[in-house]
Amino acid sequence: LVSHPLIAVLEKHGPLTEEEKDVIRQITARVVCFEPKAEIVAEGSVQLESTLLLEGMAIRHVHLEDGDRHISALHMPGDFVDLFSFLLKKMDHGVGAITACKVARVPHKDLLEVSRRFPYLTRAFWFLTLVEGATTRQWLAGVGRKSALERLAHLFCELHCRLQAVGLSERTSFELPFTQEELADAQGLSSVHVNRTMKEMRADGLARMEGKRLIIEDLPALRRLAEFNPAYLHLDQQLER
Amino acid sequence: LVSHPLIAVLEKHGPLTEEEKDVIRQITARVVCFEPKAEIVAEGSVQLESTLLLEGMAIRHVHLEDGDRHISALHMPGDFVDLFSFLLKKMDHGVGAITACKVARVPHKDLLEVSRRFPYLTRAFWFLTLVEGATTRQWLAGVGRKSALERLAHLFCELHCRLQAVGLSERTSFELPFTQEELADAQGLSSVHVNRTMKEMRADGLARMEGKRLIIEDLPALRRLAEFNPAYLHLDQQLER
DNA sequence: CGGGGCATTGAGTTGAGTCAACAACCGTGG
DNA sequence: CCACGGTTGTTGACTCAACTCAATGCCCCG
């Protein structure tokens, strides 16, 4: 059997029973594909299902009234990009595909059923939303209190860690399909300033782009600069049964 | 029987059974008091219980390596200030009392028991953490993309709504026990700039402080300026059984 | 080979920060 | 009852990180 991204993610936090794995396979059976730049979930829409990203990268974003955009999360395979819509229903943000994406659509009524019959899975899903919350808090502290260089360094460290956890990063480089404008909207910067900051990073021998790939030249220095501590990602936190 | 803040909050989202209310009363029975400025939960500590705020106001904050502080949430009675520690265990932020606070300490093993036996309560607690996540995203978008004036206006609108929901705000004023420095640390500003911005708000006839109370002079204008839409607080979202 | 995104760079502007002084307020203790 | 010291709020002067506008270069794809 082919490995399932969500099962893989959850098993990092504790073993699943065969029954639980079956349930996950069942509720994620309906797969949909999207072109790059397609809107996967529309801002403001009321959802009846949640979306699990299986392949590709996506962003969570809002458009402000003055035309500005803000990106509140970057997503990769294994991420349940709008799990919270199970309980919150109305999307306060939209989700857009960056690269070509394959997703599974999970009906909320299936999640409701799971939450009634599988307490451990419920806690595990809750846990996933909490990790995302912790990540948002990290971003908030960064945008509020750190320089552009530190923020970008932190973001790269975070992506490096998260991608590594799902087997999508080499030791010193990974696919980074975002434009400078997208990085800017994620970190509350202008695209011009992201550009200058990347130049500085290159000059300092920290990291540089090579096509759509980020090459990390000096990971320890990058982490030091960013004050990066991967604890908030809770990558190997074990959950109680 | 005296009303219970958590039961009151949860009943806004759907009725509870007598059994569920009893359980909530039981698990929140252990009450502790704190002086103003006391540390309720230490940053970096590993928790074995979660904290429900019963009376007073508190903040969630981190200290960065360079001595800066960042505040990621403001809390009021009825808030489960570190519910996420039930699953994440290690506190990425500390929680500090602003005014005198009364809290209930809820052992994680009780929450675990609840999550096994009361699926609806589990979803309700999960929901509370999701609303907090949505609030953090709002702050993130604000800090990243809005001016100091807009951010403060938004914060005041948010507090006004949330306090009103727990019966702690008048129509046009409410207790605001935070210092300008605390507001600054919450919004990624300097305390000097908060001061100047409050002056501007006063001059524009939007709002002003009177002692430790914020007087809102023109709520519609304040909301318009902030682009405030209370939907993200999900104050009257109903939950399915 | 031509056009549409992106990335890059320069020039000039500005919102917010820093530093520093001072004023107002408040609780405490003599 | 008032003098004192600590905390918070207020204001001015100066600085700077990041923004905006605008031009140009680059590269991929049809």
Side-chain angles (χ1 to χ4, degrees):
Chain A
L1 231 74
V2 185
S3 85
H4 187 293
L6 183 56
I7 293 176
V9 165
L10 292 182
E11 289 207 308
K12 302 222 155 144
H13 304 290
L16 297 174
T17 64
E18 281 309 316
E19 193 187 8
E20 286 165 344
K21 285 191 247 186
D22 279 347
V23 169
I24 290 178
R25 285 194 202 97
Q26 279 169 35
I27 67 177
T28 58
R30 205 156 68 69
V31 173
V32 185
C33 294
F34 291 88
E35 297 292 301
K37 299 182 194 208
E39 197 73 1
I40 297 176
V41 186
E43 197 175 326
S45 62
V46 173
Q47 291 304 112
L48 296 174
E49 43 194 22
S50 284
T51 307
L52 174 69
L53 190 53
L54 299 171
E55 285 173 27
M57 297 239 200
I59 58 174
R60 193 112 57 76
H61 55 179
V62 239
H63 292 272
L64 307 181
E65 284 181 29
D66 58 8
D68 263 3
R69 175 177 66 161
H70 184 258
I71 294 176
S72 65
L74 304 181
H75 287 298
M76 55 192 61
D79 287 357
F80 229 133
V81 299
D82 62 347
L83 182 50
F84 58 85
S85 76
F86 165 44
L87 294 171
L88 297 187
K89 302 301 175 194
K90 181 142 179 203
M91 291 296 292
D92 55 353
H93 288 61
V95 177
I98 293 296
T99 63
C101 285
K102 204 158 106 180
V103 309
R105 295 286 202 187
V106 184
H108 285 169
K109 68 172 179 39
D110 288 355
L111 288 172
L112 187 61
E113 193 56 24
V114 165
S115 84
R116 287 190 184 123
R117 291 180 39 216
F118 297 91
Y120 177 76
L121 282 183
T122 309
R123 285 199 303 278
F125 288 163
W126 183 1
F127 172 80
L128 294 180
T129 67
L130 290 175
V131 170
E132 207 189 295
T135 305
T136 310
R137 284 197 293 278
Q138 282 290 324
W139 284 31
L140 180 60
V143 173
R145 286 281 174 245
K146 291 186 181 176
S147 72
L149 186 63
E150 291 166 327
R151 272 183 262 176
L152 278 178
H154 197 280
L155 182 61
F156 293 156
C157 291
E158 176 186 313
L159 289 174
H160 183 238
C161 261
R162 288 170 57 194
L163 285 167
Q164 204 142 47
V166 292
L168 290 173
S169 172
E170 308 296 316
R171 185 112 62 94
T172 61
S173 79
F174 58 88
E175 213 65 37
L176 185 72
F178 307 107
T179 64
Q180 295 184 345
E181 188 168 355
E182 283 154 355
L183 296 175
D185 286 339
Q187 294 297 306
L189 298 166
S190 68
S191 61
V192 172
H193 200 60
V194 167
N195 187 286
R196 287 189 226 279
T197 307
M198 298 284 295
K199 183 179 178 181
E200 191 179 346
M201 239 185 222
R202 213 183 306 141
D204 294 350
L206 294 168
R208 71 194 150 79
M209 292 299 294
E210 205 163 83
K212 287 270 139 202
R213 188 159 260 277
L214 184 80
I215 317 287
I216 300 176
E217 312 257 26
D218 188 343
L219 185 58
L222 200 67
R223 290 189 165 200
R224 226 176 305 122
L225 171 67
E227 295 182 14
F228 179 74
N229 177 344
Y232 71 92
L233 295 172
H234 296 267
L235 287 174
D236 40 37
Q237 161 102 39
Q238 295 301 299
L239 295 175
E240 280 174 274
R241 269 275 147 198
Chain B
L1 227 75
V2 184
S3 84
H4 186 294
L6 183 56
I7 293 176
V9 165
L10 291 182
E11 288 207 307
K12 302 223 153 142
H13 304 290
L16 297 174
T17 65
E18 280 310 316
E19 193 186 10
E20 285 165 344
K21 286 191 245 186
D22 279 348
V23 169
I24 289 177
R25 285 194 202 95
Q26 279 168 36
I27 66 178
T28 58
R30 205 156 68 70
V31 172
V32 185
C33 293
F34 291 88
E35 297 291 300
K37 299 183 197 208
E39 197 73 0
I40 297 177
V41 186
E43 198 175 326
S45 62
V46 173
Q47 291 303 114
L48 296 174
E49 42 194 25
S50 284
T51 308
L52 174 69
L53 190 54
L54 300 171
E55 285 173 26
M57 297 238 202
I59 58 175
R60 193 112 58 75
H61 55 180
V62 239
H63 292 272
L64 307 182
E65 283 180 29
D66 58 9
D68 262 4
R69 174 177 68 160
H70 184 257
I71 294 176
S72 66
L74 304 180
H75 287 298
M76 55 193 61
D79 286 357
F80 231 133
V81 299
D82 62 347
L83 182 51
F84 58 86
S85 76
F86 165 44
L87 293 171
L88 297 186
K89 301 301 174 193
K90 180 143 178 201
M91 291 294 293
D92 54 352
H93 289 61
V95 177
I98 293 296
T99 63
C101 285
K102 203 157 106 181
V103 309
R105 294 284 200 188
V106 184
H108 286 168
K109 67 172 179 39
D110 289 355
L111 289 172
L112 187 61
E113 193 56 24
V114 166
S115 84
R116 287 190 184 122
R117 291 181 37 217
F118 297 91
Y120 178 76
L121 282 184
T122 309
R123 284 199 303 278
F125 288 163
W126 182 2
F127 171 80
L128 294 180
T129 67
L130 290 174
V131 170
E132 208 191 293
T135 305
T136 311
R137 284 198 292 277
Q138 283 289 326
W139 285 31
L140 180 60
V143 172
R145 286 281 174 248
K146 291 186 181 176
S147 72
L149 187 64
E150 291 166 327
R151 274 183 261 177
L152 278 179
H154 197 281
L155 182 62
F156 294 156
C157 291
E158 178 187 313
L159 289 174
H160 183 239
C161 262
R162 288 170 57 194
L163 286 167
Q164 205 143 45
V166 292
L168 291 173
S169 172
E170 308 296 316
R171 184 112 62 94
T172 61
S173 80
F174 58 88
E175 213 66 37
L176 186 72
F178 308 106
T179 65
Q180 294 183 346
E181 188 167 356
E182 284 154 355
L183 296 175
D185 286 339
Q187 294 297 305
L189 298 165
S190 68
S191 60
V192 172
H193 200 61
V194 167
N195 187 287
R196 287 190 226 279
T197 306
M198 298 283 296
K199 183 180 178 180
E200 191 179 345
M201 241 185 219
R202 213 183 305 140
D204 294 351
L206 294 168
R208 72 195 148 79
M209 293 298 295
E210 206 162 81
K212 286 270 141 206
R213 188 161 259 278
L214 184 81
I215 317 287
I216 299 176
E217 311 257 29
D218 188 343
L219 185 58
L222 200 67
R223 290 190 164 199
R224 225 176 307 120
L225 171 66
E227 295 183 13
F228 179 74
N229 178 344
Y232 71 93
L233 295 171
H234 295 268
L235 287 174
D236 40 37
Q237 161 103 41
Q238 295 301 300
L239 294 175
E240 279 175 273
R241 269 273 148 202

